[in-house]
C-alpha cells in the first residue's frame, strides 16, 4: 500500500491497522491505548476528538453541526466521562453560503444545549474553492471521569444491550445523496446519549457508540480482546422498517451501518433487565433490546457470532471495505 | 456578504467580525471570551484547538505536522497554561502518499517530544480526491493553568518585547510555493515556546504568539481593549536579512507577516530587562528585543502607533485582507 485509500477512513480493519501501525505504536504512551476512544487523563479528565466530514452537510434528522456535537459528546459518555466542554474548529471552503454556516452554528448551539456542554474555544480556517468540500468541523471534548469501564470483568452469561434500532444515520445519508434511487422516510438517529450517564452507576462493564463500521465492527473490536466469544441473536436486533426494507432492497447488512445516537452495553446477567428498563424509559431508548450474550461454549474465544433467524451461526468480521464514505 | 471569503480566514478584521457575530455572541458563555485564545476551564484546566491547512504541507524549517504541534502548544503557553496533552485528528485526501503521512507523523512525534506533550487521543477521516487538499490536521490541547494573564494591569511605561525576528514562517511558505519568483535562504521559525513557561513567574501582564495577521494585528487586538495606546519603534523591530530583503522587494510589510515560534509580551518597565535577558538565554530567544511601550500621552487610547525610522508616527490597523491564504 503506497497511497491513502478511502477504506482507511471507514472505521474498519484497514483503518485500525493503519492507526495501529502509524499512530498508536510510534506514539505509544499510557494514555493513547486506542486512537478511537476517549483518553482518560490525570485529575479525572476525559479527552476526545473527532473531525466531521459528512456529505451532505444537511440531512434528514440533523446536519454536520448537530453531528459534531453529538458524536464527540457520545465518545465521552461511552468512555465513562460526563461531557462538559467542547472546542469547535471549522475548515470552510471559500464560497459556502453564509446562511449555511449560520444554520450549522445554530444547530451546534441547540445540540450543545441539549447535550449540556459549553463551546469553550475555537478556530476558523478558510480554504480556496476545490481545496475542501463546503465545511469540515472538528470538535474536541473534555469532561469529568465518572466511571471506569472494566471490560476485563466481562464473563460468560453477561448480556449485550443495544439502546435502539440500527443504521438510521447511514440510511438517512444514503437517501440524502439520492445515489440509490430509492425513497423512504427515515431520519438520522443523531442524538446525544446523555441519558446513559446515570447508567454508569448500574455497573455496565463496557459501552460503545455504534458509529463507523456498525454493530459488527464495534463488537468484534471488543470480542477480539476477550477470552470468550460474543453471540448476538438476529431476531432480537431492532430495525426500523425503512432500514429493514432498504437493506433487503440494496443488499446491505444493517449490522455494518453506522448510527450516531445508539450505543451498545455489556452488563452482568442479573442487572440486564434493570438496565434495559432504565434505557427504555428514555424517549431515545424506547427500542432498546437485549440482543446477545457472552459465551464460553458455542464459539471460539475472540469470535463474534450471529445466531440467525434460520437457526444457523454466522461468524461476523469487522468491516474491511468502505460501504459509504463520509458518513460522519 | 452572502458567501464565505478567503479573507474571513486571514486572522484579520473580517475574520474577527465573523467570529464575533456568528460564534462568540450566539454561544456566549464565560469560558468563550475570544475564539482565538485558550479557554481557562474549572479545575485549573486550559483548553485550545486549531486546525492546520498549511499549503505546502512540507516547507523549509517544518511541515504541517510540526506546525500542528507547535501552534497549539504555543496557544496554551501564551495563555498561561503548561501544555500536557494533545489530540490529533487527520483529514486525509485519498491518494496522498503513505510516505508523506509517515513523514508528517514522525514530525509530530519529534515536535511533541520537544514540546513535552503526549498525544492522548485522535481520529482519522479520508475524503475523496478533490474534496480536500492532501492533509488537514486538527490538534486540541489541554494543560494546567500556571498563571493568569492580567491585561487589566497594563499601565503606561510598560514595555513590549518580541521574542525574536518577524515573518520567517510566512516567507518560508511564500518561497516554498514559488509564486514570487524570488529566492532566499530562509526557514520557518516554527517552534514550541516552552522556554517562556518559567517567565510567567516574572509576572508579564500579557503574552501572545505572533500568528495570522502578524505583530500589527496581534497588538491592535490588545490596544483596542486598553485605555492607553501602544507605541512600537520601527528601528527596534528585529528582522532577518531574508525577510528584510523580501519585504522590500515585494512591498510586503513584515509587521503583518505570521510567525509560528515567536511571541509578544507586555512587562512592567522595571522587569523588562530581566525578562529580556532570560528570553535571550534561550537559543530561540536570542534575537529578542524591547520594541515598544505603553503610552498615555502621544497616541489616543486604543491606538497602535509605529514610530518610524524617519521620525514619523504611523497608525497601524489590523490586517483586513488576506496576504497569503493557508499559512497555517
Amino acid at each position: 500500500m503506497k497511497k491513502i485509500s478511502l477504506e482507511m477512513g471507514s472505521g474498519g480493519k484497514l483503518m485500525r491497522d493503519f492507526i495501529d501501525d502509524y499512530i498508536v505504536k510510534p506514539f505509544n504512551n499510557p494514555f493513547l491505548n486506542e486512537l478511537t476512544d476517549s483518553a482518560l487523563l490525570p485529575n479525572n479528565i476525559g479527552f476526545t476528538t473527532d473531525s466531521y466530514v459528512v456529505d451532505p452537510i444537511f440531512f434528514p434528522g440533523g446536519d454536520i453541526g448537530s453531528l459534531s456535537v453529538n458524536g464527540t459528546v457520545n465518545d465521552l459518555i461511552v468512555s465513562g466521562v460526563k461531557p462538559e466542554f467542547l472546542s469547535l474548529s471549522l475548515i470552510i471552503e471559500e464560497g459556502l453560503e453564509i446562511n449555511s454556516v449560520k444554520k450549522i452554528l445554530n444547530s451546534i448551539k441547540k445540540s450543545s444545549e441539549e447535550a449540556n456542554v459549553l463551546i469553550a474555544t475555537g478556530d476558523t480556517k478558510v480554504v480556496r474553492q476545490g481545496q475542501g468540500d463546503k465545511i469540515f468541523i472538528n470538535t474536541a471534548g473534555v469532561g469529568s471521569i465518572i466511571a471506569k469501564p472494566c471490560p476485563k470483568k466481562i464473563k460468560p452469561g453477561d448480556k449485550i444491550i443495544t439502546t435502539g434500532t440500527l443504521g438510521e444515520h447511514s440510511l438517512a445519508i444514503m437517501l440524502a445523496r439520492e445515489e440509490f434511487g430509492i425513497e423512504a422516510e427515515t431520519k438520522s438517529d443523531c442524538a446525544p446519549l446523555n441519558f446513559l450517564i446515570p447508567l454508569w452507576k448500574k455497573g455496565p462493564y463496557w459501552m460503545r457508540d455504534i458509529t463507523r463500521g456498525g454493530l459488527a465492527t464495534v463488537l468484534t473490536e471488543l470480542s477480539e480482546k476477550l477470552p470468550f466469544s460474543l453471540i448476538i441473536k438476529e431476531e432480537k436486533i431492532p430495525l426500523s422498517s425503512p432500514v429493514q426494507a432498504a437493506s433487503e432492497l440494496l443488499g446491505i447488512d444493517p449490522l455494518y451501518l453506522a448510527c450516531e445516537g445508539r450505543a451498545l452495553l455489556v452488563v452482568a446477567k442479573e442487572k440486564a433487565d434493570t438496565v434495559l428498563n432504565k434505557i427504555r424509559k428514555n424517549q431515545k431508548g424506547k427500542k432498546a433490546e437485549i440482543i446477545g450474550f457472552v459465551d464460553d461454549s458455542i464459539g471460539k474465544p475472540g469470535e463474534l457470532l450471529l445466531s440467525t433467524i434460520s437457526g444457523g451461526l454466522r461468524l461476523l468480521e469487522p468491516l474491511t471495505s468502505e460501504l459509504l464514505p463520509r458518513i460522519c
Side-chain angles (χ1 to χ4, degrees), chain A residues 49-234:
Chain A
T49 187
D50 252 316
S51 285
Y52 299 87
V53 299
V54 66
D55 173 37
I57 55 176
F58 299 102
F59 48 83
D63 59 35
I64 191 168
S66 54
L67 190 63
S68 3
V69 172
N70 295 330
T72 296
V73 156
N74 292 346
D75 273 350
L76 290 173
I77 292 168
V78 298
S79 304
V81 179
K82 182 178 169 289
E84 290 165 337
F85 297 97
L86 293 187
S87 64
L88 173 64
S89 183
L90 314 174
I91 300 176
I92 311 177
E93 187 188 16
E94 178 190 25
L96 181 63
E97 301 284 336
I98 296 264
N99 276 340
S100 299
V101 179
K102 272 193 206 175
K103 210 172 144 188
I104 290 165
L105 288 170
N106 193 39
S107 161
I108 290 173
K109 190 171 151 65
K110 274 191 190 164
S111 305
S112 58
E113 283 164 2
E114 191 186 349
N116 203 18
V117 288
L118 293 174
I119 305 295
T121 185
D123 177 52
T124 304
K125 293 291 189 314
V126 179
V127 299
R128 279 192 206 282
Q129 245 165 9
Q131 297 180 336
D133 192 14
K134 296 181 194 76
I135 186 167
F136 299 148
I137 300 183
N138 176 281
T139 52
V142 295
S144 307
I145 299 174
I146 51 160
K148 299 235 173 182
C150 36
K152 284 186 181 167
K153 288 192 181 167
I154 292 176
K155 60 193 178 306
D158 289 347
K159 300 293 185 186
I160 303 166
I161 297 175
T162 173
T163 65
T165 49
L166 301 185
E168 277 124 307
H169 177 70
S170 277
L171 184 62
I173 299 292
M174 284 180 196
L175 297 176
R177 287 194 199 158
E178 296 172 352
E179 278 173 12
F180 294 88
I182 55 163
E183 279 187 38
E185 280 206 14
T186 202
K187 279 185 179 180
S188 166
D189 48 73
C190 182
L193 290 168
N194 294 60
F195 72 101
L196 296 180
I197 298 175
L199 280 182
W200 277 114
K201 282 187 202 153
K202 302 277 167 199
Y205 299 131
W206 177 89
M207 282 194 203
R208 265 295 294 277
D209 47 342
I210 311 174
T211 53
R212 281 184 288 179
L215 180 142
T217 306
V218 165
L219 279 185
T220 45
E221 283 180 26
L222 174 65
S223 68
E224 284 167 6
K225 291 177 198 152
L226 296 177
F228 314 112
S229 63
L230 299 177
I231 298 185
I232 53 172
K233 297 175 189 166
E234 192 175 14

Side-chain angles (χ1 to χ4, degrees), chain A residues 223-284:
Chain A
S223 68
E224 284 167 6
K225 291 177 198 152
L226 296 177
F228 314 112
S229 63
L230 299 177
I231 298 185
I232 53 172
K233 297 175 189 166
E234 192 175 14
E235 68 193 53
K236 290 288 185 187
I237 293 167
L239 295 176
S240 68
S241 34
V243 168
Q244 196 147 22
S247 298
E248 282 167 17
L249 211 61
L250 302 170
I252 291 169
D253 190 340
L255 295 178
Y256 292 90
L257 293 181
C259 314
E260 287 294 341
R262 308 287 186 227
L264 293 166
L265 291 81
V266 176
V267 187
K269 190 180 175 183
E270 62 278 13
K271 291 181 182 169
D273 286 331
T274 317
V275 169
L276 181 68
N277 290 332
K278 289 262 176 201
I279 294 173
R280 284 186 175 165
K281 276 190 184 148
N282 190 287
Q283 180 60 31
K284 290 169 194 145

